[in-house]
Amino acid sequence: KQEVTQIPAALSVPEGENLVLNCSFTDSAIYNLQWFRQDPGKGLTSLLLIQSSQREQTSGRLNASLDKSSGRSTLYIAASQPGDSATYLCAVGVAAGNKLTFGGGTRVLVKP
Amino acid sequence: ETGVTQSPTHLIKTRGQQVTLRCSSQSGHNTVSWYQQALGQGPQFIFQYYREEENGRGNFPPRFSGLQFPNYSSELNVNALELDDSALYLCASSLEASGRTKTQYFGPGTRLLVL
């Protein structure tokens, strides 16, 4: 059974600092890995999707890496801003149909 | 805005009642997945529908059921509500085809409170 873990559960950084969010998964036979952002009481916004054959994806200040052999993904957010404050969730897609197994999330606070 | 809409936004029910939640997929998407997110936790996969057929189910009892319609909109039905069913219910739509999977786009969710 696939299990996804995100550590730490919460993180507080001053504005301008780079953010490093970690995600680990137990079964390397994944279809893809996706990072999401969730604001309080809201739905999920997709940030980056990494196919199983890829090693990383980049979008603006965001960069996500994937190491299937070690069961890890890292999301980097450069030069954090207060607007980056949110909960970040990683999810692995298993099998065709991309059924997602989520981690518990990392709650990020960027202080001005 | 993802183009995925859900209704209602909030709902209060009492234990034992039944509830129907609705989801309208993004245009062109043929797959819808439903997730339950308890407070402070990550979403849990309930089930997925592809072209009106159930295409996988998570660890949820049969009182959780669903439908997908020809226009690819979807319903989630929960019978005999329990207090633990209180959660944010999210639907996500995507385009599944041979080859690479496209990103799943989530709706804003329906917050269900069972008293």
Side-chain angles (χ1 to χ4, degrees):
Chain A
K1 179 191 167 189
Q2 178 73 268
E3 291 184 4
V4 181
T5 304
Q6 291 184 251
I7 296 173
L11 188 59
S12 179
V13 299
E15 182 177 1
E17 197 165 293
N18 296 332
L19 281 165
V20 180
L21 307 179
N22 297 303
C23 172
S24 62
F25 48 94
T26 55
D27 187 344
S28 62
I30 65 171
Y31 207 57
N32 55 47
L33 186 141
Q34 204 163 348
W35 282 94
F36 294 90
R37 169 186 171 136
Q38 186 174 33
D39 292 293
K42 305 289 186 182
L44 307 183
T45 300
S46 178
L47 299 174
L48 292 168
L49 169 68
I50 312 175
Q51 302 288 353
S52 62
S53 59
Q54 297 175 319
R55 291 250 179 185
E56 67 176 344
Q57 278 286 351
T58 298
S59 176
R61 294 186 294 114
L62 276 58
N63 173 275
S65 65
L66 173 63
D67 183 344
K68 282 201 312 177
S69 61
S70 66
R72 295 185 185 188
S73 177
T74 303
L75 177 66
Y76 300 90
I77 303 178
S80 62
Q81 303 167 359
D84 294 329
S85 298
T87 295
Y88 291 83
L89 294 151
C90 79
V92 298
V94 293
N98 194 26
K99 303 160 188 68
L100 299 178
T101 300
F102 282 84
T106 295
R107 192 171 66 253
V108 170
L109 176 63
V110 180
K111 294 187 274 190
Chain B
E1 291 293 326
T2 64
V4 180
T5 59
Q6 292 186 245
S7 63
T9 56
H10 295 83
L11 202 51
I12 300 175
K13 291 285 189 178
T14 56
R15 201 168 41 179
Q17 285 189 310
Q18 178 266 342
V19 69
T20 297
L21 310 182
R22 294 178 175 84
C23 172
S24 178
S25 301
Q26 186 168 338
S27 177
H29 285 182
N30 57 12
T31 300
V32 64
S33 304
W34 285 90
Y35 295 84
Q36 179 196 66
Q37 186 177 24
L39 201 61
Q41 298 182 23
Q44 300 284 320
F45 174 72
I46 303 175
F47 45 57
Q48 183 183 88
Y49 280 83
Y50 170 68
R51 294 185 173 181
E52 303 177 58
E53 298 284 332
E54 188 178 289
N55 183 40
R57 186 180 184 91
N59 190 25
F60 280 82
R63 60 189 183 85
F64 285 77
S65 63
L67 281 173
Q68 187 182 29
F69 299 101
N71 66 355
Y72 299 135
S73 65
S74 178
E75 286 183 355
L76 164 65
N77 299 289
V78 187
N79 293 321
L81 283 167
E82 301 177 359
L83 297 179
D84 285 348
D85 296 333
S86 297
L88 181 68
Y89 287 85
L90 297 162
C91 81
S93 76
S94 60
L95 176 64
E96 302 299 324
S98 58
R100 287 186 173 181
T101 299
K102 303 295 185 184
T103 301
Q104 289 199 18
Y105 293 92
F106 280 78
T110 293
R111 185 161 296 283
L112 173 65
L113 177 61
V114 182
L115 301 176

